[in-house]
Amino acid sequence: MFFKKLRLDLAAAKRNDPAARNKLEILLTYSGVHALSWHRLANGLYRLHLKLSARIISQFARFLTGIEIHPAAEIAAGVFIDHGAGVVIGETAKVGAGTVLYHGATLGGTGKDKGKRHPTVGENCIISAGAKVLGNITVGDYAKIGAGAVVLTDVPAYATAVGIPAKVVKINQKDIK
């Protein structure tokens, strides 16, 4: 299972990064792939109720990669974290397959709420550099979040959202008027 997910992560990096020359280079040098691999180990321990061990591993991975992923976060195989420095993925976040997160992206909470308090990001989304997606909201499949956007409300599938606070400006590549 681990190696199947790793293969999908490597393929996602190869597909999404034009600078990626081969899977060995990706495996050895891509911090996003490293962070996801460490996360899968920490998530397994978390699900076994070994929460302290899971948190220690997640913090060690953060130290190594600069990417912080809570061990309880649910991340599908085939996600790509590009230039991952500063990426933060919160405890109750869910990230769908094929999604790309760029440096400085945050899938975070808005305060001390209980229960589901982090975003659910659909499949094949793009969360651009510095974007902040906050709270128990949903980003639909194939949505794009612009660089530096602060997303506080749901974003429909196939939409593009930009700005502070983010507003949907396109759906299905057609401008919203």
mmCIF file of all heavy atoms in Angstrom, residues 148-174:
data_model
loop_
_atom_site.group_PDB
_atom_site.id
_atom_site.type_symbol
_atom_site.label_atom_id
_atom_site.label_comp_id
_atom_site.label_asym_id
_atom_site.label_seq_id
_atom_site.Cartn_x
_atom_site.Cartn_y
_atom_site.Cartn_z
ATOM 1 N N GLY A 148 -1.892 33.873 -3.168
ATOM 2 C CA GLY A 148 -2.177 34.858 -2.135
ATOM 3 C C GLY A 148 -3.637 34.991 -1.754
ATOM 4 O O GLY A 148 -3.980 35.805 -0.893
ATOM 5 N N ALA A 149 -4.512 34.209 -2.345
ATOM 6 C CA ALA A 149 -5.944 34.301 -2.033
ATOM 7 C C ALA A 149 -6.197 33.833 -0.602
ATOM 8 O O ALA A 149 -5.475 32.992 -0.062
ATOM 9 C CB ALA A 149 -6.757 33.449 -3.007
ATOM 10 N N VAL A 150 -7.244 34.400 -0.006
ATOM 11 C CA VAL A 150 -7.708 33.957 1.311
ATOM 12 C C VAL A 150 -9.141 33.467 1.112
ATOM 13 O O VAL A 150 -10.058 34.263 0.923
ATOM 14 C CB VAL A 150 -7.644 35.086 2.356
ATOM 15 C CG1 VAL A 150 -8.193 34.604 3.689
ATOM 16 C CG2 VAL A 150 -6.205 35.588 2.508
ATOM 17 N N VAL A 151 -9.299 32.152 1.150
ATOM 18 C CA VAL A 151 -10.579 31.519 0.857
ATOM 19 C C VAL A 151 -11.295 31.206 2.167
ATOM 20 O O VAL A 151 -10.777 30.450 2.994
ATOM 21 C CB VAL A 151 -10.388 30.235 0.028
ATOM 22 C CG1 VAL A 151 -11.730 29.610 -0.319
ATOM 23 C CG2 VAL A 151 -9.589 30.522 -1.235
ATOM 24 N N LEU A 152 -12.481 31.798 2.339
ATOM 25 C CA LEU A 152 -13.249 31.628 3.571
ATOM 26 C C LEU A 152 -14.622 31.003 3.323
ATOM 27 O O LEU A 152 -15.347 30.719 4.272
ATOM 28 C CB LEU A 152 -13.423 32.982 4.264
ATOM 29 C CG LEU A 152 -12.113 33.699 4.629
ATOM 30 C CD1 LEU A 152 -12.400 35.112 5.104
ATOM 31 C CD2 LEU A 152 -11.349 32.911 5.676
ATOM 32 N N THR A 153 -14.979 30.814 2.059
ATOM 33 C CA THR A 153 -16.268 30.205 1.709
ATOM 34 C C THR A 153 -16.044 29.132 0.652
ATOM 35 O O THR A 153 -15.000 29.100 -0.009
ATOM 36 C CB THR A 153 -17.256 31.260 1.163
ATOM 37 O OG1 THR A 153 -16.681 31.867 0.006
ATOM 38 C CG2 THR A 153 -17.564 32.322 2.200
ATOM 39 N N ASP A 154 -17.032 28.274 0.489
ATOM 40 C CA ASP A 154 -16.928 27.183 -0.485
ATOM 41 C C ASP A 154 -16.613 27.709 -1.880
ATOM 42 O O ASP A 154 -17.066 28.794 -2.269
ATOM 43 C CB ASP A 154 -18.236 26.392 -0.550
ATOM 44 C CG ASP A 154 -18.493 25.567 0.709
ATOM 45 O OD1 ASP A 154 -17.588 25.428 1.549
ATOM 46 O OD2 ASP A 154 -19.621 25.058 0.836
ATOM 47 N N VAL A 155 -15.855 26.916 -2.619
ATOM 48 C CA VAL A 155 -15.534 27.209 -4.016
ATOM 49 C C VAL A 155 -16.092 26.050 -4.842
ATOM 50 O O VAL A 155 -15.743 24.897 -4.590
ATOM 51 C CB VAL A 155 -14.008 27.346 -4.236
ATOM 52 C CG1 VAL A 155 -13.677 27.541 -5.703
ATOM 53 C CG2 VAL A 155 -13.437 28.467 -3.382
ATOM 54 N N PRO A 156 -16.958 26.327 -5.812
ATOM 55 C CA PRO A 156 -17.547 25.228 -6.582
ATOM 56 C C PRO A 156 -16.531 24.538 -7.490
ATOM 57 O O PRO A 156 -15.458 25.068 -7.779
ATOM 58 C CB PRO A 156 -18.641 25.909 -7.404
ATOM 59 C CG PRO A 156 -18.328 27.352 -7.398
ATOM 60 C CD PRO A 156 -17.473 27.637 -6.211
ATOM 61 N N ALA A 157 -16.909 23.364 -7.942
ATOM 62 C CA ALA A 157 -16.076 22.613 -8.879
ATOM 63 C C ALA A 157 -15.829 23.439 -10.138
ATOM 64 O O ALA A 157 -16.686 24.231 -10.556
ATOM 65 C CB ALA A 157 -16.757 21.295 -9.232
ATOM 66 N N TYR A 158 -14.654 23.290 -10.713
ATOM 67 C CA TYR A 158 -14.251 23.941 -11.966
ATOM 68 C C TYR A 158 -14.191 25.471 -11.876
ATOM 69 O O TYR A 158 -14.192 26.145 -12.894
ATOM 70 C CB TYR A 158 -15.157 23.528 -13.134
ATOM 71 C CG TYR A 158 -15.102 22.054 -13.428
ATOM 72 C CD1 TYR A 158 -16.017 21.181 -12.855
ATOM 73 C CD2 TYR A 158 -14.122 21.538 -14.266
ATOM 74 C CE1 TYR A 158 -15.960 19.814 -13.115
ATOM 75 C CE2 TYR A 158 -14.059 20.177 -14.535
ATOM 76 C CZ TYR A 158 -14.975 19.323 -13.952
ATOM 77 O OH TYR A 158 -14.910 17.990 -14.209
ATOM 78 N N ALA A 159 -14.132 26.002 -10.663
ATOM 79 C CA ALA A 159 -14.109 27.459 -10.487
ATOM 80 C C ALA A 159 -12.681 27.937 -10.242
ATOM 81 O O ALA A 159 -11.806 27.177 -9.837
ATOM 82 C CB ALA A 159 -14.999 27.855 -9.317
ATOM 83 N N THR A 160 -12.476 29.227 -10.482
ATOM 84 C CA THR A 160 -11.232 29.904 -10.137
ATOM 85 C C THR A 160 -11.586 30.995 -9.137
ATOM 86 O O THR A 160 -12.464 31.817 -9.402
ATOM 87 C CB THR A 160 -10.576 30.536 -11.384
ATOM 88 O OG1 THR A 160 -10.307 29.496 -12.333
ATOM 89 C CG2 THR A 160 -9.276 31.242 -11.028
ATOM 90 N N ALA A 161 -10.879 30.987 -7.985
ATOM 91 C CA ALA A 161 -11.136 31.985 -6.946
ATOM 92 C C ALA A 161 -9.851 32.757 -6.673
ATOM 93 O O ALA A 161 -8.773 32.161 -6.554
ATOM 94 C CB ALA A 161 -11.636 31.325 -5.672
ATOM 95 N N VAL A 162 -9.961 34.091 -6.574
ATOM 96 C CA VAL A 162 -8.799 34.947 -6.317
ATOM 97 C C VAL A 162 -9.191 36.061 -5.357
ATOM 98 O O VAL A 162 -10.367 36.393 -5.206
ATOM 99 C CB VAL A 162 -8.243 35.564 -7.623
ATOM 100 C CG1 VAL A 162 -7.761 34.486 -8.584
ATOM 101 C CG2 VAL A 162 -9.283 36.441 -8.296
ATOM 102 N N GLY A 163 -8.181 36.656 -4.724
ATOM 103 C CA GLY A 163 -8.395 37.849 -3.922
ATOM 104 C C GLY A 163 -8.464 37.604 -2.431
ATOM 105 O O GLY A 163 -8.368 36.492 -1.947
ATOM 106 N N ILE A 164 -8.632 38.744 -1.713
ATOM 107 C CA ILE A 164 -8.746 38.732 -0.258
ATOM 108 C C ILE A 164 -9.955 39.573 0.125
ATOM 109 O O ILE A 164 -9.916 40.797 -0.050
ATOM 110 C CB ILE A 164 -7.482 39.314 0.408
ATOM 111 C CG1 ILE A 164 -6.246 38.546 -0.035
ATOM 112 C CG2 ILE A 164 -7.621 39.302 1.921
ATOM 113 C CD1 ILE A 164 -4.940 39.148 0.443
ATOM 114 N N PRO A 165 -11.022 38.978 0.590
ATOM 115 C CA PRO A 165 -11.283 37.542 0.608
ATOM 116 C C PRO A 165 -11.522 37.049 -0.822
ATOM 117 O O PRO A 165 -11.906 37.817 -1.701
ATOM 118 C CB PRO A 165 -12.549 37.413 1.455
ATOM 119 C CG PRO A 165 -13.264 38.715 1.259
ATOM 120 C CD PRO A 165 -12.172 39.751 1.094
ATOM 121 N N ALA A 166 -11.285 35.767 -1.011
ATOM 122 C CA ALA A 166 -11.385 35.204 -2.360
ATOM 123 C C ALA A 166 -12.812 35.254 -2.886
ATOM 124 O O ALA A 166 -13.773 35.044 -2.149
ATOM 125 C CB ALA A 166 -10.880 33.766 -2.353
ATOM 126 N N LYS A 167 -12.892 35.549 -4.168
ATOM 127 C CA LYS A 167 -14.170 35.546 -4.875
ATOM 128 C C LYS A 167 -14.005 34.691 -6.132
ATOM 129 O O LYS A 167 -12.948 34.697 -6.762
ATOM 130 C CB LYS A 167 -14.580 36.956 -5.277
ATOM 131 C CG LYS A 167 -14.935 37.849 -4.095
ATOM 132 C CD LYS A 167 -15.381 39.215 -4.582
ATOM 133 C CE LYS A 167 -15.819 40.154 -3.505
ATOM 134 N NZ LYS A 167 -15.322 40.052 -2.200
ATOM 135 N N VAL A 168 -15.054 33.989 -6.481
ATOM 136 C CA VAL A 168 -15.032 33.185 -7.705
ATOM 137 C C VAL A 168 -15.111 34.136 -8.888
ATOM 138 O O VAL A 168 -16.028 34.964 -8.980
ATOM 139 C CB VAL A 168 -16.192 32.173 -7.721
ATOM 140 C CG1 VAL A 168 -16.256 31.450 -9.052
ATOM 141 C CG2 VAL A 168 -16.031 31.174 -6.577
ATOM 142 N N VAL A 169 -14.131 34.037 -9.789
ATOM 143 C CA VAL A 169 -14.092 34.905 -10.965
ATOM 144 C C VAL A 169 -14.341 34.146 -12.266
ATOM 145 O O VAL A 169 -14.629 34.757 -13.286
ATOM 146 C CB VAL A 169 -12.761 35.687 -11.057
ATOM 147 C CG1 VAL A 169 -12.632 36.650 -9.889
ATOM 148 C CG2 VAL A 169 -11.576 34.753 -11.146
ATOM 149 N N LYS A 170 -14.219 32.819 -12.211
ATOM 150 C CA LYS A 170 -14.479 31.993 -13.389
ATOM 151 C C LYS A 170 -15.086 30.672 -12.947
ATOM 152 O O LYS A 170 -14.757 30.150 -11.890
ATOM 153 C CB LYS A 170 -13.189 31.676 -14.154
ATOM 154 C CG LYS A 170 -12.570 32.839 -14.866
ATOM 155 C CD LYS A 170 -11.353 32.399 -15.676
ATOM 156 C CE LYS A 170 -10.776 33.605 -16.392
ATOM 157 N NZ LYS A 170 -9.715 33.230 -17.321
ATOM 158 N N ILE A 171 -15.960 30.149 -13.788
ATOM 159 C CA ILE A 171 -16.448 28.785 -13.652
ATOM 160 C C ILE A 171 -16.394 28.169 -15.035
ATOM 161 O O ILE A 171 -16.862 28.781 -16.013
ATOM 162 C CB ILE A 171 -17.873 28.726 -13.065
ATOM 163 C CG1 ILE A 171 -17.884 29.280 -11.644
ATOM 164 C CG2 ILE A 171 -18.405 27.283 -13.083
ATOM 165 C CD1 ILE A 171 -19.236 29.269 -10.961
ATOM 166 N N ASN A 172 -15.823 26.986 -15.129
ATOM 167 C CA ASN A 172 -15.623 26.332 -16.424
ATOM 168 C C ASN A 172 -14.907 27.243 -17.416
ATOM 169 O O ASN A 172 -15.267 27.329 -18.584
ATOM 170 C CB ASN A 172 -16.951 25.858 -17.012
ATOM 171 C CG ASN A 172 -17.509 24.679 -16.269
ATOM 172 O OD1 ASN A 172 -16.749 23.828 -15.802
ATOM 173 N ND2 ASN A 172 -18.813 24.631 -16.122
ATOM 174 N N GLN A 173 -13.937 28.000 -16.925
ATOM 175 C CA GLN A 173 -13.107 28.917 -17.706
ATOM 176 C C GLN A 173 -13.889 30.065 -18.334
ATOM 177 O O GLN A 173 -13.416 30.704 -19.270
ATOM 178 C CB GLN A 173 -12.306 28.148 -18.768
ATOM 179 C CG GLN A 173 -11.376 27.125 -18.160
ATOM 180 C CD GLN A 173 -10.578 26.367 -19.186
ATOM 181 O OE1 GLN A 173 -10.942 26.268 -20.346
ATOM 182 N NE2 GLN A 173 -9.443 25.839 -18.747
ATOM 183 N N LYS A 174 -15.068 30.335 -17.828
ATOM 184 C CA LYS A 174 -15.868 31.465 -18.307
ATOM 185 C C LYS A 174 -15.961 32.500 -17.196
ATOM 186 O O LYS A 174 -16.249 32.170 -16.047
ATOM 187 C CB LYS A 174 -17.255 31.002 -18.729
ATOM 188 C CG LYS A 174 -17.210 30.096 -19.934
ATOM 189 C CD LYS A 174 -18.576 29.719 -20.413
ATOM 190 C CE LYS A 174 -18.410 28.897 -21.662
ATOM 191 N NZ LYS A 174 -19.264 27.784 -21.762
#
